[in-house]
């Protein structure tokens, strides 16, 4: 059962990455059109700023969720590399619970912003700001789900989940000859 959930999580993360990449391509096109319009055609493209901000928010949140699924966010793991296997496992559970707590707080804030901005619209396009805050809610909501899945893996698979943290790969400022 856990293997099926792992595969589903991988597919969702890949979908998020694909959508984020497409959004980035569209963002580049919108910004290029805006620059071309201003510099060459001497016209204003008022909607480009709103589209750009919306695409950026969605792109970042979907990409962040995908990165969180794969454990690819920047992490300071010096302590994890220096403690024993059992301590590393317990510390990993604590880190996951702390991350989950932060995500729940952010999600609640995003939901509140969605409610409070429901009747406010962007200037050029007239789109509700709720759609912008939905990016934050969806991205952080996905991170909550991915964290819960990782926590379940840590609890079911035990110390084997953190056993492959190789101390030999530790970053160092020293040089070797």
């Amino acid at each position: 059962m856990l293997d099926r959930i792992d595969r589903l999580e991988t597919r969702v993360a890949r979908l998020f990455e694909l959508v984020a990449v497409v959004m980035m391509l569209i963002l580049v096109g919108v910004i290029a059109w805006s620059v071309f319009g201003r510099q060459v055609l001497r016209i204003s493209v008022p909607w480009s700023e709103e589209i750009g901000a919306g695409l950026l928010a969605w792109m970042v949140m979907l990409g962040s969720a995908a990165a969180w699924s794969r454990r690819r966010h920047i992490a300071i793991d010096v302590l994890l590399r220096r403690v024993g296997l059992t301590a590393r496992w317990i510390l990993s559970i604590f880190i996951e619970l702390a991350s989950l707590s932060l995500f729940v707080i952010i999600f609640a804030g995003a939901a509140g912003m969605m409610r409070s901005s429901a009747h406010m619209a962007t200037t050029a396009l007239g789109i509700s700001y709720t759609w912008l805050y939905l990016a934050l809610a969806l991205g952080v909501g996905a991170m909550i789900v991915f964290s819960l899945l990782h926590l379940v893996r840590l609890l079911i698979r035990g110390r084997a989940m953190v056993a492959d943290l190789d101390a030999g790969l530790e970053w160092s400022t020293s040089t070797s000859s």
Side-chain angles (χ1 to χ4, degrees):
M1 178 70 170
L2 200 54
D3 289 335
R4 281 191 219 163
I5 293 172
D6 290 349
R7 284 193 299 272
L8 178 62
E9 179 184 358
T10 300
R11 287 184 187 132
V12 170
R14 283 184 185 157
L15 177 64
F16 282 1
E17 284 178 343
L18 177 65
V19 172
V21 167
V22 169
M23 287 180 168
M24 186 166 81
L25 293 172
I26 294 170
L27 177 63
V28 169
V30 166
I31 299 302
W33 173 251
S34 178
V35 170
F36 180 77
R38 285 186 197 145
Q39 299 299 318
V40 177
L41 302 176
R42 303 280 187 222
I43 61 171
S44 176
V45 187
W47 52 266
S48 64
E49 201 169 314
E50 290 179 7
I51 294 288
L55 285 170
L56 183 64
W58 278 92
M59 179 183 67
V60 166
M61 291 314 302
L62 293 178
S64 292
W68 187 255
S69 168
R70 292 196 173 94
R71 300 302 194 237
R72 296 292 185 225
H73 279 273
I74 295 173
I76 301 171
D77 59 356
V78 174
L79 181 61
L80 286 173
R81 292 177 183 277
R82 300 207 184 275
V83 297
L85 190 57
T86 301
R88 187 182 313 157
W89 178 67
I90 291 168
L91 192 54
S92 295
I93 290 171
F94 172 77
I95 290 168
E96 206 62 45
L97 288 171
S99 298
L100 265 168
S101 299
L102 176 64
F103 293 151
V104 167
I105 291 168
I106 295 170
F107 184 82
M113 291 302 295
M114 286 176 65
R115 281 190 300 276
S116 68
S117 67
H119 302 294
M120 297 184 332
T122 61
T123 306
L125 296 174
I127 297 170
S128 173
Y129 279 103
T130 300
W131 290 103
L132 294 175
Y133 293 116
L134 180 61
L136 181 60
L138 180 69
V140 174
M143 288 183 201
I144 289 170
V145 171
F146 294 152
S147 274
L148 287 170
L149 292 173
H150 190 70
L151 185 60
V152 167
R153 282 186 212 104
L154 279 168
L155 294 173
I156 291 175
R157 294 179 181 156
R159 296 180 301 170
M161 280 287 293
V162 295
D164 63 348
L165 195 58
D166 185 5
L169 298 175
E170 186 173 335
W171 177 81
S172 174
T173 57
S174 65
T175 57
S176 58
S177 308

